[in-house]
Amino acid sequence: MNPWDNRFQSDNYVYGTFPNEFIVEVQKSLALTSADVLAIAEGEGRNAVYLAEQGMNVTTWDYAPSGLVKTKKLAEERGVEVKTELVDLNDAVWTKNKWDEIICVFGHFPLELRQKTLQGVKKSIKPGGYFVTEVYSQYQLPYKSGGPQDLELLYHPEEFLQTFHDWRIVHFFMGEVVRHEGEFHNGLSHVIQLVAQKNK
């Protein structure tokens, strides 16, 4: 059993059932409807279910089976459908120009896998589509409000700005926000936010 599968075994939704505030804010401005959306490292499904409630066709990838079960349960309770797929990002197959939007909320991986995943994201988003992410920055460790306690798993702004230098940067932010998301994300935090649009 991997550690995330173990973490999601409880009946409680450890990151809550409400979507990430940044995701909600961005979706209002993008106003995408009936879009094909992929949520990677989505855990227990709170963001995916929210997007499905907005009328989107949502697929989640996670490598914790217990998280996928809870995603299905939450979707059923909310009266929406979310497609769940057991995917380890190390082995992910990225289909070219498949998704209108890909989201990643607090998905933290070793540097090599981050780089591989971001290149997969670039390949798999349709022309005109968006990548939306909020993650903890390299400055998060002293905040003690959530995220991995390992500097290698935290993001540097250059990773996004260099990877997506040839896309339209709709929004980029690095700094402090307050997050209250279940039992593991609580309080003042240091994050990086990105909304990038693939050129048409």
Side-chain angles (χ1 to χ4, degrees), residues 32-84:
L32 294 172
T33 55
S34 300
D36 294 320
V37 180
L38 174 65
I40 61 173
E42 173 59 8
E44 300 165 304
R46 61 195 176 100
N47 302 298
V49 169
Y50 168 77
L51 294 176
E53 289 177 316
Q54 311 312 304
M56 301 182 191
N57 306 312
V58 185
T59 298
T60 67
W61 284 1
D62 205 276
Y63 85 135
S66 58
L68 299 179
V69 169
K70 290 169 86 172
T71 297
K72 283 290 193 183
K73 179 183 175 185
L74 184 61
E76 186 175 332
E77 289 174 356
R78 298 276 182 85
V80 294
E81 184 175 343
V82 172
K83 183 179 180 183
T84 59

XYZ file of all heavy atoms in Angstrom, residues 32-84:
398
model
N -15.340 27.957 -18.900
C -15.373 26.785 -19.779
C -16.603 25.950 -19.459
O -16.900 25.683 -18.303
C -14.123 25.935 -19.573
C -12.780 26.550 -19.985
C -11.646 25.650 -19.538
C -12.723 26.759 -21.487
N -17.305 25.523 -20.485
C -18.447 24.624 -20.280
C -18.306 23.436 -21.219
O -17.765 23.555 -22.325
C -19.785 25.338 -20.564
O -19.748 25.888 -21.890
C -20.020 26.469 -19.563
N -18.771 22.292 -20.757
C -18.697 21.042 -21.530
C -17.277 20.729 -21.974
O -17.069 20.084 -23.004
C -19.621 21.116 -22.757
O -20.954 21.321 -22.356
N -16.302 21.200 -21.196
C -14.907 20.956 -21.538
C -14.473 19.591 -21.028
O -15.022 19.054 -20.067
C -14.032 22.049 -20.926
N -13.461 19.026 -21.688
C -12.845 17.784 -21.241
C -11.669 18.149 -20.333
O -10.679 18.735 -20.788
C -12.353 16.962 -22.429
C -13.504 16.466 -23.288
O -14.536 16.068 -22.722
O -13.375 16.483 -24.525
N -11.801 17.814 -19.054
C -10.829 18.248 -18.049
C -10.179 17.037 -17.394
O -10.847 16.058 -17.057
C -11.518 19.111 -16.964
C -10.505 19.572 -15.921
C -12.207 20.306 -17.595
N -8.867 17.139 -17.197
C -8.117 16.121 -16.479
C -7.578 16.725 -15.187
O -6.946 17.789 -15.209
C -6.948 15.613 -17.323
C -5.981 14.640 -16.630
C -6.678 13.330 -16.280
C -4.749 14.392 -17.500
N -7.832 16.060 -14.069
C -7.288 16.474 -12.774
C -6.241 15.448 -12.360
O -6.577 14.288 -12.113
C -8.392 16.564 -11.732
N -4.978 15.860 -12.307
C -3.913 14.914 -11.986
C -3.555 14.991 -10.502
O -3.651 16.041 -9.876
C -2.662 15.147 -12.856
C -2.063 16.544 -12.642
C -2.980 14.920 -14.314
C -0.727 16.742 -13.354
N -3.164 13.839 -9.958
C -2.849 13.732 -8.522
C -3.988 14.327 -7.705
O -3.785 15.115 -6.793
C -1.527 14.429 -8.207
N -5.213 13.920 -8.037
C -6.416 14.574 -7.520
C -6.882 14.033 -6.171
O -7.793 14.591 -5.567
C -7.524 14.478 -8.581
C -8.894 14.958 -8.181
C -8.966 16.427 -7.731
O -7.963 17.161 -7.859
O -10.030 16.836 -7.227
N -6.255 12.980 -5.692
C -6.571 12.529 -4.338
C -8.006 12.065 -4.186
O -8.466 11.152 -4.870
N -8.745 12.745 -3.291
C -10.105 12.325 -2.946
C -11.182 12.998 -3.801
O -12.366 12.793 -3.571
C -10.365 12.627 -1.481
C -9.413 11.925 -0.547
C -9.446 12.513 0.851
O -9.218 13.736 0.992
O -9.715 11.765 1.803
N -10.776 13.833 -4.754
C -11.708 14.271 -5.780
C -12.440 15.575 -5.575
O -13.331 15.904 -6.357
N -12.081 16.357 -4.570
C -12.867 17.569 -4.275
C -12.898 18.564 -5.438
O -13.944 19.161 -5.729
C -12.331 18.252 -3.014
C -10.896 18.715 -3.109
C -10.298 19.036 -1.731
N -8.886 19.391 -1.838
C -8.426 20.622 -1.838
N -9.265 21.654 -1.729
N -7.138 20.876 -1.943
N -11.782 18.721 -6.127
C -11.749 19.669 -7.241
C -12.431 19.098 -8.482
O -13.138 19.812 -9.200
C -10.300 20.045 -7.567
C -9.594 20.644 -6.374
O -9.984 21.687 -5.857
N -8.543 19.981 -5.906
N -12.228 17.818 -8.716
C -12.854 17.168 -9.868
C -14.370 17.215 -9.776
O -15.065 17.495 -10.763
C -12.374 15.723 -9.967
N -14.893 16.942 -8.596
C -16.342 16.960 -8.409
C -16.887 18.369 -8.612
O -17.930 18.558 -9.250
C -16.720 16.413 -7.014
C -18.184 16.667 -6.703
C -16.415 14.918 -6.946
N -16.182 19.358 -8.116
C -16.606 20.748 -8.331
C -16.675 21.069 -9.826
O -17.651 21.680 -10.296
C -15.646 21.709 -7.632
C -15.845 23.144 -8.044
C -16.917 23.894 -7.545
C -14.996 23.746 -8.964
C -17.121 25.202 -7.953
C -15.192 25.051 -9.372
C -16.257 25.777 -8.862
O -16.449 27.072 -9.272
N -15.648 20.675 -10.571
C -15.641 20.957 -12.008
C -16.775 20.230 -12.719
O -17.390 20.779 -13.639
C -14.291 20.572 -12.600
C -13.099 21.388 -12.115
C -11.799 20.844 -12.692
C -13.266 22.863 -12.463
N -17.052 19.019 -12.292
C -18.178 18.284 -12.870
C -19.492 19.010 -12.581
O -20.401 19.033 -13.429
C -18.221 16.858 -12.327
N -19.588 19.613 -11.414
C -20.790 20.390 -11.067
C -20.948 21.611 -11.962
O -22.057 22.130 -12.116
C -20.728 20.823 -9.600
C -20.915 19.683 -8.625
C -20.788 20.114 -7.177
O -19.846 20.882 -6.860
O -21.622 19.699 -6.354
N -19.853 22.065 -12.558
C -19.910 23.209 -13.476
C -20.214 22.771 -14.909
O -20.195 23.588 -15.832
C -18.579 23.991 -13.449
C -18.068 24.341 -12.064
C -19.124 24.943 -11.172
O -19.740 25.952 -11.522
N -19.348 24.345 -10.008
N -20.480 21.474 -15.097
C -20.871 20.978 -16.412
C -19.738 20.431 -17.252
O -19.907 20.203 -18.457
N -18.575 20.201 -16.639
C -17.425 19.706 -17.392
C -17.351 18.183 -17.354
O -17.865 17.547 -16.436
C -16.144 20.320 -16.837
C -16.149 21.832 -16.907
S -14.622 22.548 -16.292
C -15.116 24.274 -16.215
N -16.709 17.631 -18.365
C -16.460 16.198 -18.441
C -15.104 15.935 -17.786
O -14.063 16.237 -18.375
C -16.452 15.732 -19.892
C -17.719 16.124 -20.636
O -18.824 15.907 -20.141
N -17.566 16.710 -21.814
N -15.116 15.393 -16.601
C -13.910 15.357 -15.778
C -13.388 13.934 -15.603
O -14.146 13.001 -15.315
C -14.175 15.976 -14.389
C -12.876 16.053 -13.588
C -14.806 17.362 -14.517
N -12.078 13.806 -15.768
C -11.363 12.568 -15.485
C -10.310 12.864 -14.429
O -9.650 13.902 -14.475
C -10.676 12.028 -16.756
O -11.664 11.739 -17.742
C -9.876 10.764 -16.461
N -10.168 11.972 -13.454
C -9.110 12.129 -12.467
C -8.079 11.029 -12.613
O -8.419 9.885 -12.922
C -9.644 12.099 -11.018
O -10.132 10.790 -10.722
C -10.745 13.100 -10.820
N -6.830 11.413 -12.369
C -5.738 10.455 -12.265
C -5.204 10.494 -10.846
O -4.908 11.571 -10.311
C -4.592 10.830 -13.205
C -4.815 10.533 -14.648
C -5.917 9.983 -15.230
C -3.894 10.808 -15.712
N -5.739 9.886 -16.588
C -4.507 10.388 -16.907
C -2.627 11.367 -15.773
C -3.878 10.511 -18.152
C -1.998 11.499 -16.997
C -2.613 11.066 -18.185
N -5.077 9.333 -10.244
C -4.391 9.239 -8.963
C -3.880 7.818 -8.812
O -4.406 6.902 -9.457
C -5.314 9.593 -7.801
C -4.524 10.085 -6.590
O -4.045 9.240 -5.809
O -4.364 11.307 -6.439
N -2.846 7.648 -7.993
C -2.317 6.293 -7.828
C -2.687 5.686 -6.485
O -2.150 4.654 -6.096
C -0.821 6.261 -8.107
C 0.118 6.615 -6.967
C 1.252 5.847 -6.720
C -0.104 7.731 -6.163
C 2.129 6.161 -5.694
C 0.771 8.058 -5.147
C 1.889 7.272 -4.912
O 2.754 7.590 -3.901
N -3.653 6.337 -5.809
C -4.196 5.780 -4.571
C -5.607 5.263 -4.833
O -6.539 6.052 -5.004
C -4.229 6.850 -3.479
N -5.806 3.946 -4.896
C -7.143 3.407 -5.143
C -8.182 3.926 -4.159
O -9.330 4.196 -4.544
C -6.945 1.890 -5.001
C -5.507 1.663 -5.340
C -4.782 2.861 -4.814
N -7.805 4.097 -2.899
C -8.765 4.589 -1.904
C -9.222 6.003 -2.221
O -10.373 6.371 -1.961
C -8.151 4.532 -0.503
O -6.960 5.295 -0.438
N -8.340 6.822 -2.795
C -8.727 8.165 -3.200
C -9.740 8.154 -4.325
O -10.694 8.946 -4.344
N -9.556 7.235 -5.269
C -10.494 7.124 -6.387
C -11.868 6.659 -5.909
O -12.896 7.140 -6.403
C -9.935 6.160 -7.438
C -8.595 6.557 -8.066
C -8.156 5.500 -9.069
C -8.667 7.927 -8.727
N -11.883 5.751 -4.939
C -13.153 5.292 -4.371
C -13.885 6.469 -3.728
O -15.106 6.643 -3.909
C -12.916 4.177 -3.337
C -14.182 3.890 -2.548
C -12.430 2.906 -4.043
N -13.157 7.299 -3.004
C -13.786 8.445 -2.342
C -14.219 9.511 -3.347
O -15.215 10.199 -3.136
C -12.835 9.022 -1.290
C -12.686 8.073 -0.093
C -11.571 8.471 0.819
C -12.015 9.490 1.849
N -10.956 9.725 2.863
N -13.487 9.607 -4.444
C -13.904 10.525 -5.516
C -15.256 10.097 -6.071
O -16.163 10.924 -6.241
C -12.854 10.541 -6.649
O -11.616 11.050 -6.148
C -13.331 11.408 -7.812
N -15.402 8.816 -6.359
C -16.667 8.291 -6.880
C -17.810 8.508 -5.880
O -18.931 8.882 -6.258
C -16.524 6.797 -7.186
C -15.785 6.484 -8.464
C -16.606 6.877 -9.688
C -16.028 6.303 -10.956
N -16.784 6.757 -12.161
N -17.519 8.297 -4.608
C -18.525 8.469 -3.564
C -18.973 9.921 -3.484
O -20.177 10.217 -3.418
C -17.953 8.012 -2.224
C -18.929 8.172 -1.063
C -18.279 7.763 0.258
C -19.226 8.032 1.432
N -18.570 7.743 2.734
N -18.020 10.843 -3.499
C -18.350 12.267 -3.423
C -19.138 12.713 -4.654
O -20.111 13.476 -4.542
C -17.076 13.095 -3.284
C -17.261 14.605 -3.088
C -18.039 14.907 -1.815
C -15.898 15.300 -3.061
N -18.746 12.224 -5.824
C -19.466 12.568 -7.053
C -20.907 12.076 -6.995
O -21.849 12.795 -7.377
C -18.746 11.976 -8.262
N -21.088 10.864 -6.501
C -22.437 10.302 -6.381
C -23.283 11.124 -5.414
O -24.452 11.414 -5.683
C -22.344 8.859 -5.906
C -23.677 8.130 -5.894
C -23.545 6.666 -5.523
O -22.474 6.083 -5.775
O -24.512 6.116 -4.968
N -22.689 11.522 -4.309
C -23.417 12.338 -3.332
C -23.816 13.684 -3.911
O -24.864 14.242 -3.551
C -22.553 12.548 -2.087
C -22.365 11.299 -1.242
C -21.384 11.506 -0.104
O -20.785 12.608 -0.018
O -21.214 10.572 0.711
N -23.004 14.207 -4.815
C -23.265 15.525 -5.413
C -24.082 15.418 -6.705
O -24.401 16.432 -7.317
C -21.944 16.234 -5.699
C -21.095 16.508 -4.443
C -21.489 17.772 -3.736
N -20.643 18.010 -2.585
C -19.455 18.625 -2.608
N -18.959 19.060 -3.754
N -18.778 18.812 -1.499
N -24.361 14.202 -7.129
C -25.192 14.020 -8.306
C -24.504 14.296 -9.622
O -25.141 14.711 -10.596
N -23.179 14.058 -9.679
C -22.435 14.263 -10.919
C -21.610 13.017 -11.220
O -21.500 12.109 -10.399
C -21.500 15.495 -10.835
C -22.322 16.775 -10.704
C -20.510 15.363 -9.682
N -21.025 13.000 -12.394
C -20.210 11.858 -12.806
C -18.770 12.307 -13.012
O -18.509 13.327 -13.655
C -20.749 11.248 -14.102
C -20.001 9.997 -14.538
C -20.632 9.329 -15.756
O -21.800 9.619 -16.064
O -19.930 8.516 -16.385
N -17.852 11.568 -12.438
C -16.423 11.799 -12.635
C -15.785 10.470 -13.006
O -15.999 9.454 -12.334
C -15.760 12.363 -11.356
C -14.243 12.410 -11.516
C -16.293 13.749 -11.033
N -15.014 10.462 -14.069
C -14.300 9.252 -14.480
C -12.985 9.170 -13.704
O -12.222 10.141 -13.656
C -14.019 9.283 -15.977
C -13.345 8.025 -16.500
C -13.124 8.103 -18.001
C -12.454 6.836 -18.513
N -12.167 6.922 -19.974
N -12.743 8.033 -13.064
C -11.523 7.871 -12.284
C -10.609 6.844 -12.937
O -11.074 5.808 -13.417
C -11.840 7.431 -10.842
O -12.560 6.193 -10.877
C -12.670 8.476 -10.116
